[in-house]
Amino acid sequence: MRSLPARLATLLAVATFAACTSAPPPAPAPKTLADFPNVSTDAILADTQKLASDEFEGRAPGSKGETLTVQYLESEFKKAGLQPGNPDGSWVQKVPLVAITGSPSPLVIQKGGVKKSFKAGNDFVAFSKHVADEVSLENSELVFVGYGVQAPEYNWDDFKGVDVKGKTLVVLVNDPPVSAATDPKELDAAKQLDEKMFGGRAMTYYGRWTYKFEKAAELGAAGVLIVHETYPAGYPWPVVQGMAAERFNLAAPDKNLGRAKVEGWLTQAAATALLKLAGQDYEKLKAEAGKPGFKAVPLGVTASLNLKQAMRTVDSQNVIGKLPGADPVLKDEYVIYTAHWDHFGQCAPVDGDNICNGALDNATGTALMIEIARKMKGIAPAPKRTVLFLAVTAEEQGLLGSEYYGSFPLYPLEKTLGVLNIDGIN
């Protein structure tokens, strides 16, 4: 197995080749891996330790941690020899956010005259991206929609034949685990997944919680509740509980149009109890949801929930450095490295520690991006195209910093040839 520096040098080589290649006449032979400097794992570790230290308080947008992070990134980009990346001569792109803190009532599930109440935090987490003082679900019909996926390339549609407009969805986390077993009794379906369907054991974007919320919004649902399971999600319930804290959204006038009023998660135990009230078995429904041809199941129960919301505005920041291209024509084309600098800030205490330091996610990715910038500056000949280093904000809030750059790019998207995103490193 290649060493970590060698593998990281490969990443450096791939993007530099993209930035260095030229239109006719033919460019010189591309550099080999041996021609590139190895990144310093010591430097990456030092940057990771700094960004993930308690001093930075978990790097939440709009906090002291953001101020320290932006200052640190600007300083390291300067030391790396980059130029300010914003055409206005600054190192930042302001990202206007609205911060919303919701106080949810209990979630009440009703079937006929029978009601069951679920407690916020313990049983469910809910929030809203609607910029409003109060948001409610009132006797909203619940529909179990399996994994909540519409994927034409896999001939998969969990919403076929069902109208979910104005209803609340109960949806499973991750991709549909389509078994490759010819006889499920003989093979472990959890390990024998069909590699041709949703990447097998890999997670596609269809499995991300952001996709589940986006699809619910697209189809006009009033609410969406994801059933949390630690293994398929890749993180435990306390991480979800952290999302009940202050949440952010882009402060754009039309940002919330079409968004589900309430978005959130259920514990597996709460989902099991909810489905039992509806006369359904959680494990059986889950098994059916992983099979081609699954059809959504109206549950015959309703959900009621009230969210009171406090709001404030925040000017967060993407940080951007630039290495100008050496070719007089091709310098107006761009290759971008991105990594998100933010994490969850201060969270519910664990063993007395209330700082979510975010070392892996994503101090490591940000640190690697800084180190690549250092090494890229020293490569000769210099890349012909301009290389941008973009540290984005509010990824943990729903990819908001990236979304803002995509909507308001500092450099033309039609001239941007590629983006390499680094989110956690091995």
Side-chain angles (χ1 to χ4, degrees), residues 65-98:
E66 167 163 4
T67 300
L68 294 176
T69 301
V70 171
Q71 290 173 350
Y72 186 77
L73 291 172
E74 288 185 14
S75 174
E76 293 306 311
F77 280 172
K78 289 177 185 176
K79 292 177 186 177
L82 302 183
Q83 296 180 9
N86 193 318
D88 69 6
S90 73
W91 292 93
V92 300
Q93 177 189 38
K94 290 185 178 179
V95 180
L97 302 175
V98 58

Side-chain angles (χ1 to χ4, degrees), residues 5-190:
R7 282 180 281 154
L8 298 181
T10 303
L11 177 60
L12 179 65
V14 169
T16 306
F17 176 71
C20 288
T21 55
S22 177
K31 290 177 174 291
T32 67
L33 183 60
D35 294 323
F36 289 90
N38 283 332
V39 297
S40 167
T41 51
D42 289 338
I44 294 170
L45 179 59
D47 288 328
T48 300
Q49 289 174 326
K50 183 68 173 178
L51 291 165
S53 66
D54 284 356
E55 176 190 3
F56 282 61
E57 297 182 350
R59 305 188 307 283
S63 69
K64 172 189 172 184
E66 167 163 4
T67 300
L68 294 176
T69 301
V70 171
Q71 290 173 350
Y72 186 77
L73 291 172
E74 288 185 14
S75 174
E76 293 306 311
F77 280 172
K78 289 177 185 176
K79 292 177 186 177
L82 302 183
Q83 296 180 9
N86 193 318
D88 69 6
S90 73
W91 292 93
V92 300
Q93 177 189 38
K94 290 185 178 179
V95 180
L97 302 175
V98 58
I100 304 174
T101 303
S103 299
S105 69
L107 171 66
V108 178
I109 305 299
Q110 183 170 357
K111 182 176 183 179
V114 180
K115 295 182 180 180
K116 187 170 183 62
S117 182
F118 296 89
K119 186 176 179 181
N122 288 359
D123 301 321
F124 76 96
V125 165
F127 56 84
S128 178
K129 285 183 175 279
H130 284 235
V131 181
D133 294 330
E134 192 169 352
V135 179
S136 298
L137 294 176
E138 296 182 9
N139 298 317
S140 177
E141 296 178 38
L142 265 65
V143 182
F144 177 76
V145 293
Y147 289 87
V149 170
Q150 285 185 324
E153 69 272 33
Y154 298 118
N155 193 29
W156 195 282
D157 186 356
D158 286 327
F159 298 94
K160 186 176 182 179
V162 62
D163 181 7
V164 299
K165 189 173 182 179
K167 300 175 183 179
T168 295
L169 313 183
V170 177
V171 60
L172 300 171
V173 72
N174 212 321
D175 298 303
V178 182
S179 176
T182 55
D183 184 353
K185 296 179 181 179
E186 297 179 1
L187 295 174
D188 184 351

Side-chain angles (χ1 to χ4, degrees), residues 373-386:
R374 296 181 186 121
K375 293 301 190 286
M376 187 80 77
K377 176 63 178 176
I379 290 175
K384 295 182 178 182
R385 293 178 171 86
T386 295

Side-chain angles (χ1 to χ4, degrees), residues 87 111 142 154 224 301 326-328 392:
K111 182 176 183 179
L142 265 65
Y154 298 118
V224 54
V301 299
D327 186 282
V392 293

Side-chain angles (χ1 to χ4, degrees), residues 48 51-52 58-59 342-344 355-364:
T48 300
L51 291 165
R59 305 188 307 283
D342 67 294
H343 198 59
F344 288 115
I355 296 178
C356 289
N357 301 85
L360 176 62
D361 184 12
N362 188 33
T364 58

